[in-house]
Amino acid sequence: MGIVYKAYDTKLDRYVAIKMLNADTYDHARFVERFKREAKNQAKLSHPNIVTVYGFIEYEDLLGIVMEYVEGESLEKVLQRQGRFNLYDVMYILKQILLGLGYAHSKGFVHRDIKPSNIILNSEGIAKIMDFVISKSMFDDKDFTKPGAKIGTVYYMSPEQIKGVEVTNRSD
């Protein structure tokens, strides 16, 4: 859905990540609305284990989300490079992911796409949840997902998502 760039914010003297919506999706109103909703949903969340959203870019034919740049790599890449983790590291990472998810759930959001590629580990070993593109607000009546639609990444979908029924925080 988008491409992420590392950029330097000269006004605040820091690196940021900018996720730009792919140009070929602009013709699909559903993708544009989902992208905007991702920014709004994630911007409402302020937690050490969730990537922070700083702003939104909407200029001519460009749409982008400006967010915290995390120096590190996805849990998926770490697993590919290193193989399995020892039990202590698993518990340490899992606890952080659960703290971030618990916070998102307490604010009424279900991520719906928790997977190793959506978790980034920074250079200090802090796990952060990213990519709320298919998240759902439990307080928002407007849902961009058609009833019965199966949304998510197949290998990581909850039984509710596979069946195409309503998700809850337990689905994450």
Side-chain angles (χ1 to χ4, degrees), residues 74 111 113-120 128-131 153:
S74 72
H111 189 281
D113 201 24
I114 292 295
K115 59 187 177 182
S117 63
N118 284 340
I119 308 295
I120 190 161
K128 292 183 173 264
I129 302 166
M130 54 186 178
D131 202 355
T153 305

Side-chain angles (χ1 to χ4, degrees), residues 156-171:
Y156 300 100
M157 290 171 76
S158 67
E160 298 86 2
Q161 289 169 283
I162 291 170
K163 292 176 185 174
V165 298
E166 189 69 25
V167 297
T168 68
N169 60 355
R170 293 179 296 194
S171 303

Side-chain angles (χ1 to χ4, degrees), residues 1 14 24 51 55 80 86 101 121 138 141 158-159:
M1 180 177 261
R14 66 178 174 187
D24 59 343
V51 171
Q80 288 171 350
N86 67 48
L101 275 177
L121 297 176
M138 302 310 285
D141 293 337
S158 67

Side-chain angles (χ1 to χ4, degrees), residues 2-172:
I3 300 169
V4 180
Y5 298 96
K6 179 180 177 182
Y8 188 73
D9 182 340
T10 57
K11 289 186 173 54
L12 297 176
D13 193 28
R14 66 178 174 187
Y15 284 100
V16 295
I18 301 178
K19 182 177 185 178
M20 299 299 295
L21 185 63
N22 286 337
D24 59 343
T25 59
Y26 289 130
D27 293 337
H28 304 286
R30 183 174 294 262
F31 285 118
V32 171
E33 286 306 310
R34 191 178 292 277
F35 190 75
K36 288 179 179 179
R37 187 182 65 175
E38 173 189 5
K40 287 179 186 175
N41 286 354
Q42 196 167 343
K44 293 176 184 173
L45 303 174
S46 178
H47 190 274
N49 300 113
I50 297 174
V51 171
T52 304
V53 167
Y54 297 140
F56 191 78
I57 297 168
E58 192 165 10
Y59 178 76
E60 293 181 5
D61 289 339
L62 298 173
L63 290 176
I65 302 170
V66 181
M67 57 190 135
E68 169 186 12
Y69 172 73
V70 179
E71 184 72 47
E73 58 186 337
S74 72
L75 186 55
E76 178 182 52
K77 287 183 181 176
V78 174
L79 285 167
Q80 288 171 350
R81 180 176 41 77
Q82 143 181 340
R84 68 168 97 183
F85 286 98
N86 67 48
L87 184 58
Y88 175 80
D89 290 337
V90 169
M91 297 306 290
Y92 181 71
I93 293 167
L94 187 59
K95 179 181 177 183
Q96 293 177 71
I97 295 167
L98 291 174
L99 286 170
L101 275 177
Y103 175 79
H105 294 162
S106 75
K107 297 297 181 183
F109 295 101
V110 179
H111 189 281
R112 298 198 295 190
D113 201 24
I114 292 295
K115 59 187 177 182
S117 63
N118 284 340
I119 308 295
I120 190 161
L121 297 176
N122 74 11
S123 55
E124 298 167 353
I126 305 299
K128 292 183 173 264
I129 302 166
M130 54 186 178
D131 202 355
F132 279 72
V133 73
I134 64 169
S135 65
K136 176 176 176 34
S137 170
M138 302 310 285
F139 305 120
D140 191 0
D141 293 337
K142 189 176 183 183
D143 191 2
F144 293 97
T145 307
K146 295 177 184 174
K150 295 171 174 69
I151 189 166
T153 305
V154 175
Y155 293 119
Y156 300 100
M157 290 171 76
S158 67
E160 298 86 2
Q161 289 169 283
I162 291 170
K163 292 176 185 174
V165 298
E166 189 69 25
V167 297
T168 68
N169 60 355
R170 293 179 296 194
S171 303
D172 279 342

